[in-house]
Amino acid sequence: MRLSRAFLPTLKETPAEAQIASHRLMLRAGMVRQTSAGIYVWLPLGWRVLQKVEQIVREEQDATGAQEILMPTIQPADLWKQSGRHDAYGPEMLRLKDRHEREMLYGPTNEEMVTDIFRSYAKSYRDLPRNLYHIQWKFRDEIRPRFGVMRGREFLMKDAYSFDLDYAGARRSYQRMFVAYLRTFARMGLKAIPMQADTGPIGGDLSHEFLILAETGESQVYLHRDLLAFDVLSQTVDYDGDLSPIVDFWTSRYAATDEKHDAAAWAAIPAADQVSARGIEIGHIFYFGTKYSAPMGLQVSGPDGKMVTPEMGSYGIGVSRLVGAIIEANHDEQGIRWPEPVAPFRLAVLNLKPGDAGADALAERLYAAFDPDAVYDDREDRAGVKFADADLMGYPWQAIIGPRGAAAGRVELKRRATGERAELSLEDAIARIRGG
Ligand code: ATP
Ligand code: MG
């Protein structure tokens, strides 16, 4: 992407309405633009990040054996009447009527629809277990949309739904998602901690929220320090094997949000191991038994020929919220510091003197080595503008090329995360960036 031809609009002024760093930076870097309260356009830079986040979520869902589908955003109200949630949901649900006066709604979630789909096809226990997911826009008419994409009204969610024959099966499905979530967030450079959450009337212990620690988080959280030290990706996972050891490791150490905080259990932890902080919820997994399958009449024939009502769970990840959360966890005074796996571009090539034959040639060669995962700042701008923009947009690597260095065949390579700089030949610079 050549900046001289790109639509990557930045803002000079810090927008007054933005209260937290990620919101300010997303507006200043031209990632998103609000069109109504809590509803955003994803501009090219933001859209690239959103797609990278989405792809990591997808890969880790697929690895568990879950299958991707795409359900519509608009749903018939009738399905929600069958589950009893049409009245229960309240003003967060955007209700619509079509030209024939049929009641519709913009989906805030998809339990009803997926149950309807599954009941149309599943006939016997051999059709279980299954897990269907989609990555789709949701609408919730939040009373207080704020913090940019963190609490929007229209937002992108990954929601998965599992169907099992019995509780033991449902528990395994739950554990698969539990482990997949740990891996998903770790791949984005986030330390997400599963915390026990409310199960509602169903009871049991199969509901966890995944939170990352950040000063601007909306939740108060309490956890054992050991949970922050563990490297999730160092473990290989067999989703057909027994996942209990992994889940037990995480659930046997204290981690709770305000709502589930247990003062006595907390007091038993040595003070040096206690971490109390603010957290951002980025995912939520939930087992709810037959809450939807029973009222909606989803049944399959069991191995003994008797009809069985499948046990279900649902598993959400706030895909668009994650973009804000990643920035909350990775920024400094100058701007964003993208972790490489979710960076909009891996490299920015800053040509300090476009038109200088030597600088142009070297910059073009480096750019070509990483295109389409690189931006080339070939604009007729001051060097200071280029440095500031590259820092703001947070590309993991910056390659600074000026006439003098170019004449000597040298590139100045800067790593955004650490600020480290090195003077390198073109070949060494390419190798360094490829090496990560
Ligand atoms: P919250 O407690 O933050 O309102 P929730 O419990 O209503 O969230 P879920 O129904 O569990 O959310 O949705 C799954 C995930 O979707 C959440 O973990 C969160 O990451 C994301 N999410 C929920 N509401 C929003 C929103 N208004 N804007 C952006 N992401 C959201
Ligand atoms: Mg929740």
Side-chain angles (χ1 to χ4, degrees), residues 147-379:
F147 300 158
V149 300
M150 296 268 237
R151 185 165 295 284
R153 293 197 296 164
E154 188 182 51
F155 60 96
L156 190 60
M157 195 202 286
K158 183 284 301 179
D159 36 326
Y161 302 90
S162 63
F163 300 88
D164 280 275
L165 197 60
D166 53 23
Y167 178 75
R171 190 174 187 91
R172 273 194 297 279
S173 292
Y174 184 91
Q175 291 185 334
R176 284 196 188 99
M177 287 292 122
F178 188 106
V179 173
Y181 275 39
L182 291 170
R183 289 186 48 83
T184 301
F185 301 132
R187 281 185 59 190
M188 297 171 193
L190 294 174
K191 277 204 187 308
I193 311 294
M195 305 197 183
Q196 192 155 354
D198 260 332
T199 48
I202 288 151
D205 58 357
L206 296 188
S207 174
H208 287 87
E209 291 174 349
F210 288 71
L211 291 99
I212 61 157
L213 305 190
E215 280 164 27
T216 48
E218 288 185 312
S219 320
Q220 177 63 35
V221 301
Y222 305 87
L223 60 136
H224 194 291
R225 188 173 300 281
D226 284 0
L227 292 172
L228 291 170
F230 194 71
D231 176 13
V232 171
L233 297 176
S234 66
Q235 269 178 328
T236 47
V237 173
D238 170 12
Y239 282 107
D240 294 324
D242 182 9
L243 299 174
S244 299
I246 302 177
V247 175
D248 290 349
F249 167 83
W250 288 92
T251 52
S252 63
R253 284 178 172 64
Y254 193 83
T257 61
D258 238 357
E259 291 159 14
K260 298 289 265 184
H261 189 46
D262 172 348
W266 181 242
I269 298 170
D273 289 331
Q274 292 179 343
V275 178
S276 92
R278 306 294 295 177
I280 300 171
E281 181 192 328
I282 51 179
H284 189 176
I285 60 177
F286 201 89
Y287 158 77
F288 47 71
T290 60
K291 181 174 177 198
Y292 300 94
S293 47
M296 294 185 68
L298 163 60
Q299 288 198 315
V300 299
S301 61
D304 56 4
K306 290 209 188 86
M307 296 309 281
V308 184
T309 302
E311 306 246 344
M312 293 174 58
S314 74
Y315 314 91
I317 290 181
V319 177
S320 50
R321 176 179 289 184
L322 268 170
V323 177
I326 291 167
I327 297 173
E328 284 301 319
N330 299 278
H331 70 272
D332 60 17
E333 287 296 307
Q334 278 65 48
I336 305 167
R337 296 194 303 204
W338 291 113
E340 296 217 6
V342 292
F345 296 94
R346 194 176 171 81
L347 166 69
V349 179
L350 312 185
N351 185 343
L352 302 188
K353 196 140 184 31
D356 176 89
D360 287 354
L362 196 61
E364 290 283 352
R365 281 172 63 198
L366 184 54
Y367 172 52
F370 290 95
D371 184 39
D373 206 10
V375 289
Y376 176 20
D377 195 343
D378 58 343
R379 295 174 300 175

Side-chain angles (χ1 to χ4, degrees), residues 404-431:
R404 199 146 13 101
R410 315 284 295 172
V411 171
E412 184 183 349
L413 194 63
K414 173 178 158 186
R415 185 160 208 172
R416 178 69 178 89
T418 58
E420 276 171 89
R421 291 166 185 270
E423 285 261 334
L424 300 169
S425 67
L426 179 68
E427 291 67 32
D428 289 348
I430 291 173

